[in-house]
């Protein structure tokens, strides 16, 4: 087994761990809030687009046959985009927002490990101070209290044990954090790429649908005399 690091070095390492966890809490919390807001805004856009589709369909029913068919076809293409947008919303929730929400659990576990170590470290310092005080107060030929020395050794063993557990937990946390950042934002980009690729196809069809319309037949029908 390797030797435990000196107290000063160990305390410095713990401060670095606490800063790393604090940064993760700060930024992952912001990411979660922003991505949840982003997803809600996509849902609002879907709702407005659904309304546009309904209005286009209603309008088409008031027009002459050729334009009516063209506008209905155009509205159907826009409705397909909203189906893809709904899938985008569901995937963003599942692959981005939820993992960011669950990250708070991992951060709480890391905080608990830090708290456990700090408590055992504080107890070790308390027992050392108590032993030092007893040694000062003891008669010249009595060096210390066996019970106090035992308490110091036990506290030091507790600190060593929790220190090793903390280091192992932190190393795992740091590795997983790097993987999670890569995975979550890769999933975000993938979801957006899939939606935009599908949407581009459908928008192209919608564009062609509009430009296939020829007003000749509708105008011809209007120019005929009644009766």
């Amino acid at each position: 087994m390797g030797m435990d690091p000196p107290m000063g070095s160990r305390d410095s390492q713990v401060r670095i761990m606490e800063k790393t966890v604090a940064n993760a809490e700060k930024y992952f919390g912001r990411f979660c809030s922003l991505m949840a807001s982003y997803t809600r805004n996509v849902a609002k856009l879907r709702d407005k687009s659904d309304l546009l589709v309904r209005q286009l369909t209603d309008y088409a029913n008031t027009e002459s046959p050729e334009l009516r068919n063209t506008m209905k076809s155009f509205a159907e293409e826009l409705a397909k985009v909203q189906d893809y947008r709904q899938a985008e919303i569901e995937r963003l929730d599942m692959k981005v927002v939820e993992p960011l929400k669950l990250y708070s659990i991992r951060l709480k576990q890391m905080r608990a490990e830090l708290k456990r170590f700090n408590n055992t470290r504080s107890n070790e310092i308390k027992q050392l101070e108590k032993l030092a005080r007893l040694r000062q107060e003891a008669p010249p030929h009595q060096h210390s209290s066996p019970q106090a020395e035992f308490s110091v050794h036990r506290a030091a063993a507790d600190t060593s044990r929790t220190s090793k557990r903390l280091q192992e937990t932190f190393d795992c946390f740091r590795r997983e954090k790097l993987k999670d950042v890569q995975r979550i934002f890769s999933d975000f980009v993938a979801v957006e790429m899939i939606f935009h690729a599908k949407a581009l196809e459908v928008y192209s069809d919608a564009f062609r649908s509009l430009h296939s319309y020829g007003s000749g037949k509708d105008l011809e029908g209007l120019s005929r005399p009644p009766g």
Side-chain angles (χ1 to χ4, degrees), residues 27-81:
Y27 287 104
F28 275 78
R30 289 179 179 177
F31 292 150
C32 184
S33 177
L34 286 169
M35 292 311 305
S37 177
Y38 181 98
T39 305
R40 287 194 299 271
N41 285 334
V42 175
K44 289 177 182 178
L45 179 58
R46 176 210 55 204
D47 292 343
K48 292 296 183 182
S49 298
D50 285 342
L51 180 59
L52 175 61
V53 168
R54 289 196 295 271
Q55 291 297 313
L56 286 168
T57 303
D58 289 346
Y59 166 67
N61 289 328
T62 70
E63 279 292 350
S64 49
E66 288 296 320
L67 183 56
R68 179 171 62 245
N69 292 337
T70 297
M71 295 308 296
K72 282 189 173 181
S73 177
F74 176 62
E76 287 171 2
E77 297 299 335
L78 291 188
K80 291 178 187 177
V81 175

Side-chain angles (χ1 to χ4, degrees), residues 126-144:
K126 179 181 176 181
Q127 297 302 326
L128 283 168
E129 291 174 345
K130 181 179 179 181
L131 179 60
R133 189 167 57 250
L134 288 172
R135 283 175 173 171
Q136 288 179 348
E137 295 172 353
H141 300 294
Q142 183 179 341
H143 296 294
S144 63

